[in-house]
Amino acid sequence: MHDDLLARAHAWLAEDPDEETRDELAKLIEAGDVTELAERFGGTLQFGTAGLRGELGAGPRRMNRAVVIRAAAGLAAYLKKNGQGGGLVVIGYDARHKSADFARDTAAVMTGAGLRAAVLPRPLPTPVLAFAIRHLGAVAGVEVTASHNPPRDNGYKVYLGDGSQIVPPADAEIAAEIDAIAALADVPRPETGGATLDDAVLGAYLSRTDAVLAPGSPRTARTVYTAMHGVGKDTLMAAFARAGFPEPVLVAEQAEPDPDFPTVAFPNPEEPGAMDLAFARARETDPDLIVANDPDADRCAVAVKGAGGDWRMLRGDEVGALLAAHLVRRGARGTFAESIVSSSLLGRIAEKAGLPYEETLTGFKWIARVEGLRYGYEEALGYCVDPDGVRDKDGITAALLITELASELKEQGRTLPDLLDDLAVEHGLHATDQLSVRVEDLSVIADAMRRLREQPPTELAGLAITRAEDLTQGTETLPPTDGLRYTLDGARVVVRPSGTEPKLKCYLEVVVPVAAHTGLPAAHAAATDRLTAIKRDLSAAAGI
């Protein structure tokens, strides 16, 4: 075993095109670090519906140039097999370590395979890439990003020509093509070929952002904005300037791209502490709202001033409902869609407005495929408000739309929390929470799922479970997925392993009827108690 491991490491070393990872691997071999080598060579980074995502470093279970070249060659082979040889592949990238290298390698591989490649001019938001695919009539797109993962990670997200991310069976077919590549030397990578796009595509994207706003709407809300050390700032500032909003006040420490993300433990607005600098800036400048993007700017977070005068993050479900209510009031037509782990409030809003409504599996790869989509969101801060332009979540246009809504409310002397209160009285208070467990050992997640399947709970927080669904079987409206859904009287729970992080995620929702605004404090207290009790009972049932 030891000799076989060393032989594989030496073979990898011989074809690794990157000096940095070659040095790293040579040192591990020299040191005889069998544990680390076994970890890196005990399989390969699996290509799935999220593409690739993993820690940077040498070896087949890390993100590196050798892995990316194989992934690009597999994608090129898949496209050619599907009659799209000679088509255009657009490539975007964020500002993480190695992102530009991975983008260049992808362009070289596509060109070598006889496809045409075009790379975005610099690190730009993921939605610009999603837009460019449709705008330029590409057969596929690649975005090099690890979104809001830790600094040591990078990733590779694949879109097909409809501008939305891959879903089965395309992922497995591409993975099979990747596995079929024998040696990197067999993958042609010409030095020339592949175009770098100019700013015309970005200009076309920005001109579409205007269209998400109502002509002549108020544009008075003042914002504090953080790019979370990512690539969102320039595009968002340009979009806000075009729209005529007051210039956002920047969180200077987080404004420029920095792949080390020095001010945050995790560069995700949902993580504890990530918004602290934005809150501090808001206390100094007293804006109407805080807007944050994650590092590749496809997500949008919103914070508001609470009743006590301090700032609080809105949940993704709250922003999702606010945007839906705003679009309904503006007369939007078409289907409203969300993932099964998002709040059922969207269904109530759509039903009352007489609009079609659909639930999908988790991820915008599913939401974006809903027929006749007008608006889609999921609780993890992802919103699609211009599906004809960007068939994916877009943190720039979502930021524009929520700031327009805040401006309209401001003109009436009202706030975003005031509108949330109105929605609670109209449809019931829909309170959501998450029980999320990050693990070092993935078997913990498998054990918890097995335990829930073998000994399913019959009640949570004293509420009887009226329906328990194992989503691996699929349902009438959903394809199979690894998840469990429990329907309770006045509550709902979905449990699933994360597709992109080593986490078990449990999504909780309780609905408390509210007769009038005076009943809201009691309803909030009741909802909080019920969510806490569900969390406690679910933890016990899952053994986490």
Side-chain angles (χ1 to χ4, degrees):
M1 169 61 194
H2 187 203
D3 291 346
D4 173 50
L5 184 62
L6 281 175
R8 277 184 288 148
H10 277 292
W12 186 275
L13 184 65
E15 65 172 18
D16 189 339
D18 188 326
E19 195 180 327
E20 212 173 303
T21 44
R22 274 204 313 274
D23 287 352
E24 182 188 315
L25 185 53
K27 283 179 182 142
L28 289 174
I29 293 170
E30 201 179 313
D33 190 340
V34 177
T35 309
E36 185 64 22
L37 287 170
E39 206 275 311
R40 291 171 183 234
F41 285 84
T44 57
L45 206 55
Q46 289 303 299
F47 186 93
T49 53
L52 295 167
R53 206 179 278 189
E55 194 175 334
L56 289 161
R61 287 187 70 182
R62 293 282 188 272
M63 280 297 293
N64 51 62
R65 289 183 60 200
V67 163
V68 164
I69 289 164
R70 286 174 187 276
L75 173 59
Y78 167 85
L79 293 169
K80 289 165 80 172
K81 201 169 264 189
N82 283 274
Q84 293 174 316
L88 175 69
V89 178
V90 195
I91 301 146
Y93 59 102
D94 67 12
R96 284 178 180 263
H97 294 296
K98 298 281 183 191
S99 286
D101 294 344
F102 296 165
R104 274 194 296 272
D105 282 332
T106 300
V109 170
M110 293 301 160
T111 307
L115 289 129
R116 292 176 295 127
V119 183
L120 291 180
R122 59 185 168 279
L124 285 167
T126 294
V128 177
L129 180 274
F131 166 80
I133 296 165
R134 290 162 69 87
H135 179 68
L136 298 172
V139 296
V142 170
E143 176 70 21
V144 181
T145 181
S147 189
H148 56 272
N149 273 39
R152 64 178 184 273
D153 288 3
N154 212 329
Y156 199 80
K157 195 185 276 194
V158 176
Y159 298 75
L160 294 181
D162 61 356
S164 51
Q165 296 170 51
I166 53 168
V167 294
D171 56 338
E173 289 169 18
I174 295 168
E177 297 293 349
I178 295 169
D179 291 344
I181 291 150
L184 276 196
D186 299 340
V187 179
R189 302 201 317 275
E191 292 289 315
T192 56
T196 299
L197 294 164
D198 60 19
D199 275 349
V201 162
L202 179 60
Y205 168 81
L206 285 169
S207 68
R208 262 207 87 90
T209 62
D210 302 349
V212 305
L213 303 173
S217 62
R219 313 276 166 97
T220 53
R222 292 166 45 253
T223 53
V224 157
Y225 171 71
T226 175
M228 206 67 65
H229 298 296
V231 299
K233 183 198 78 175
D234 291 351
T235 307
L236 181 128
M237 296 292 273
F240 269 59
R242 287 178 67 103
F245 286 112
E247 186 177 327
V249 173
L250 295 174
V251 178
E253 303 93 326
Q254 298 174 335
E256 299 304 326
D258 186 332
D260 295 319
F261 304 103
T263 68
V264 289
F266 279 94
N268 177 356
E270 291 180 294
E271 293 283 346
M275 294 289 285
D276 287 357
L277 288 169
F279 291 161
R281 198 83 181 91
R283 288 184 200 110
E284 292 164 10
T285 56
D286 198 29
D288 298 298
L289 71 164
I290 298 172
V291 171
N293 286 136
D294 68 337
D296 68 326
D298 62 352
R299 287 175 168 82
C300 175
V302 180
V304 296
K305 198 184 272 192
D310 209 0
W311 289 86
R312 76 167 182 99
M313 274 276 285
L314 291 179
R315 292 190 167 277
D317 284 318
E318 292 177 306
V319 177
L322 287 168
L323 290 174
H326 184 44
L327 288 168
V328 163
R329 208 190 54 69
R330 275 190 16 197
R333 308 308 298 163
T335 302
F336 279 29
E338 65 179 336
S339 63
I340 56 169
V341 299
S342 305
S343 170
S344 59
L345 176 55
L346 184 70
R348 304 251 180 124
I349 291 170
E351 184 184 12
K352 181 146 191 197
L355 295 175
Y357 162 77
E358 272 194 46
E359 272 190 327
T360 73
L361 294 185
T362 310
F364 262 83
K365 55 184 178 278
W366 298 108
I367 295 170
R369 287 186 150 68
V370 167
E371 210 166 307
L373 182 68
R374 175 59 187 88
Y375 168 64
Y377 98 91
E378 70 178 1
E379 51 68 49
L381 312 182
Y383 315 94
C384 174
V385 300
D386 176 26
D388 290 342
V390 176
R391 289 225 153 234
D392 198 5
K393 52 189 179 291
D394 182 346
I396 307 293
T397 47
L400 287 171
L401 202 60
I402 199 74
T403 308
E404 177 186 59
L405 173 57
S407 300
E408 288 191 0
L409 291 166
K410 184 180 181 176
E411 300 292 294
Q412 302 160 20
R414 305 176 74 232
T415 63
L416 296 171
D418 291 336
L419 180 52
L420 284 171
D421 287 349
D422 292 351
L423 291 171
V425 173
E426 189 176 355
H427 302 288
L429 174 65
H430 289 61
T432 56
D433 202 357
Q434 214 184 97
L435 172 63
S436 187
V437 185
R438 187 179 287 274
V439 300
E440 294 295 322
D441 178 1
L442 288 174
S443 70
V444 174
I445 294 176
D447 289 347
M449 294 298 286
R450 188 172 62 249
R451 184 167 166 164
L452 287 170
R453 286 189 170 107
E454 288 172 1
Q455 300 168 295
T458 54
E459 62 168 44
L460 295 168
L463 302 171
I465 291 174
T466 55
R467 189 171 174 204
E469 297 165 280
D470 187 341
L471 300 176
T472 45
Q473 311 305 312
T475 71
E476 280 177 24
T477 54
L478 298 170
T481 187
D482 185 8
L484 299 163
R485 178 163 62 177
Y486 303 116
T487 305
L488 301 88
D489 186 19
R492 184 216 63 202
V493 173
V494 179
V495 184
R496 60 178 279 274
S498 168
T500 52
E501 299 173 273
K503 277 183 175 181
L504 180 67
K505 291 184 155 185
C506 311
Y507 303 84
L508 326 173
E509 178 176 44
V510 301
V511 183
V512 180
V514 190
H517 281 75
T518 49
L520 280 167
H524 278 289
T528 301
D529 289 350
R530 202 164 292 167
L531 285 168
T532 303
I534 291 174
K535 227 186 250 193
R536 180 197 64 222
D537 291 357
L538 189 61
S539 291
I544 49 172

